[in-house]
Amino acid sequence: MKTRIPLSTPTMNGTEMSFIQEAFDTNWIAPLGPHVDAFEREIADYIGGTHAAALSSGTAAIHLALKAAGVGPGDVVLCQDLTFAASCNPIMYEKAVPVFIDSERQSWNMYPKALEAAFAKYPHTKAVIAVNLYGTPAKLDAIAEICRAHGAVLIEDAAESLGSTLHAKQTGGFGDIGILSFNGNKIITTSGGGMLLCNDESIVKKAKFWATQARDAARHYQHSELGYNYRMSNICAGIGRGQLTTLDLRIAQKTNIYNTYAAAFNKHDQISMNPVPTNCKSNYWLSCIILEDGSPVTPTDILERLEQENIEGRPIWKPMSLQPYYRHCDFITSEPTSVGHDIFARGLCLPSDVKMTGKQQNLVCDIILDMF
Ligand SMILES: Cc1ncc(COP(=O)(O)O)c(C=O)c1O
């Protein structure tokens, strides 16, 4: 059996164990603990100008962000169409109404023009969820301005983009509320976890309150609101603290992977890389390609060929407007045909694991190029 070349798996740097050991030595396994407080501070410092709540997942962070935005039954939430289902599932937890917004070609993220069109149709929209897909920042300034003009709360889903910047400002800090994920396939991991970010400390305090079963400040167990068990454990936060020490190295490694693919594919007229606008720096969490319209080779052909060699690729996220579960929802595009549907049809994600050797990556490139 050939050695597996994975898409993106956890990469430990060795320091995580000392944080875990410290948690064991002090019997701070759970709940919460000093690593959680420190991890929140460290992430908040990294992003800059924000407060942070460490949670059990990025999905939990989106859920609490929606609650903080006051989203409830029947409220309209505009969400990027080309994303992972975790971006919008929490809209359904609150029995609100998702409306999906098409992407633009330049970043593959929410198209501000389509967002404007959606506000024209849904002027009472409560919140907007914009995503930085595969690490590439969305046009967050333009999106934030549109949200402000319409009085909607912007939730920035930066689950995939920790360390990416837009005109030198860290993603996660552009929305009224930002969220991160430390899921196992992300650029750094806590095994599973997420973070809610907000420059309003009272919102972060409220998120922590909801995340710990909404316990009122009373001696007995009293609850005036519905609560959740959404906090991060001290062990997971310890792993995160260790991982954070090599975040910048991981970004450099992922950038190198992207540049190597770009050098191999840019000279081929049927293959282009996922675009990264010039005013931003991506963390290049996943490198993707898109094939020319009418290419004789399809993304499925490539994925199947890679699988034969024990190499893991992935389709582009299937847009939410194409998901059976969300088929009843409205979808807004400002183009004659959907940009996101087209990217899904012609694109794919390539192995982007930082443990992949140069030789392995060259093999991936050669296999793909040989197919044309
Ligand atoms: C765009 C996006 N949003 C949200 C999430 C949810 O994060 P988590 O898996 O930590 O719940 C993920 C990753 O899984 C994601 O890729």
Side-chain angles (χ1 to χ4, degrees):
M1 187 77 171
K2 290 171 184 139
T3 310
R4 180 107 175 128
I5 304 179
L7 188 84
S8 183
T9 55
T11 305
M12 297 295 116
N13 59 36
T15 64
E16 297 86 355
M17 276 312 289
S18 62
F19 290 98
I20 295 173
Q21 191 62 50
E22 192 185 321
F24 271 69
D25 290 346
T26 53
N27 203 34
W28 271 113
I29 310 302
L32 299 171
H35 284 328
V36 174
D37 297 339
F39 190 40
E40 287 172 344
R41 268 196 315 275
E42 287 160 5
I43 288 282
D45 287 348
Y46 189 88
I47 304 290
T50 192
H51 300 275
L55 301 170
S56 53
S57 69
T59 312
I62 295 172
H63 186 193
L64 296 186
L66 287 167
K67 280 180 69 78
V71 169
D75 287 332
V76 170
V77 178
L78 308 179
C79 180
Q80 186 161 319
D81 188 47
L82 187 61
T83 187
F84 179 50
S87 298
C88 56
N89 285 344
I91 302 171
M92 303 306 288
Y93 302 168
E94 288 302 316
K95 299 186 169 44
V97 180
V99 171
F100 296 111
I101 311 298
D102 201 8
S103 283
E104 48 153 22
R105 297 246 171 239
Q106 287 139 311
S107 67
W108 290 9
N109 289 311
M110 185 179 276
Y111 193 7
K113 208 168 138 193
L115 181 63
E116 287 275 25
F119 271 112
K121 190 166 176 187
Y122 298 99
H124 301 298
T125 293
K126 211 54 177 270
V128 171
I129 301 174
V131 186
N132 304 315
L133 212 65
Y134 302 126
T136 309
K139 289 219 174 101
L140 294 162
D141 286 331
I143 291 168
E145 204 177 305
I146 295 166
C147 290
R148 250 193 313 276
H150 293 276
V153 173
L154 174 59
I155 297 168
E156 183 193 356
D157 179 349
E160 301 175 359
S161 71
L162 177 60
S164 301
T165 59
L166 174 60
H167 47 71
K169 181 177 150 99
Q170 288 287 332
T171 57
F174 283 86
D176 298 295
I177 305 172
I179 77 95
L180 302 173
S181 167
F182 307 111
N183 180 355
N185 65 10
K186 296 297 182 285
I187 194 153
I188 65 167
T189 185
T190 57
S191 76
M195 195 82 82
L196 179 144
L197 307 167
C198 185
N199 62 12
D200 180 343
E201 197 175 6
S202 68
I203 286 182
V204 171
K205 275 197 178 141
K206 191 77 199 220
K208 290 178 183 176
F209 167 75
W210 283 322
T212 41
Q213 308 287 18
R215 281 179 62 179
D216 290 341
R219 182 175 292 279
H220 45 274
Y221 286 88
Q222 177 176 297
H223 307 273
S224 309
E225 289 187 58
L226 180 62
Y228 305 86
N229 183 3
Y230 275 174
R231 277 295 244 162
M232 183 182 280
S233 82
N234 202 43
I235 300 287
C236 292
I239 299 171
R241 293 188 72 193
Q243 287 271 289
L244 198 51
T245 61
T246 43
L247 172 59
D248 290 338
L249 171 65
R250 299 291 172 250
I251 294 170
Q253 290 167 321
K254 295 265 190 189
T255 306
N256 187 42
I257 289 170
Y258 180 93
N259 288 338
T260 302
Y261 281 131
F265 297 134
N266 278 349
K267 36 186 193 282
H268 199 287
D269 58 3
Q270 304 273 347
I271 310 173
S272 313
M273 298 300 295
N274 56 310
V276 177
T278 49
N279 61 351
C280 56
K281 210 171 126 286
S282 177
N283 69 1
Y284 296 103
W285 171 56
L286 288 189
S287 288
C288 308
I289 51 173
I290 182 161
L291 307 177
E292 274 308 293
D293 207 5
S295 160
V297 178
T298 67
T300 309
D301 294 335
I302 296 178
L303 291 173
E304 285 174 357
R305 179 74 191 88
L306 292 176
E307 205 49 57
Q308 285 167 7
E309 301 294 329
N310 207 15
I311 298 169
E312 187 184 12
R314 273 242 195 114
I316 297 295
W317 296 128
K318 182 173 180 176
M320 292 306 111
S321 57
L322 297 177
Q323 298 291 347
Y325 181 74
Y326 287 110
R327 67 190 173 279
H328 63 284
C329 297
D330 199 1
F331 168 65
I332 309 278
T333 180
S334 53
E335 301 299 286
T337 55
S338 163
V339 172
H341 294 190
D342 180 52
I343 294 168
F344 168 62
R346 294 194 287 122
L348 71 148
C349 307
L350 296 177
S352 306
D353 195 276
V354 298
K355 297 177 292 310
M356 178 168 61
T357 64
K359 203 170 150 203
Q360 286 176 318
Q361 194 180 358
N362 289 339
L363 174 68
V364 176
C365 296
D366 289 346
I367 289 169
I368 294 172
L369 289 169
D370 277 353
M371 293 179 73
F372 287 85

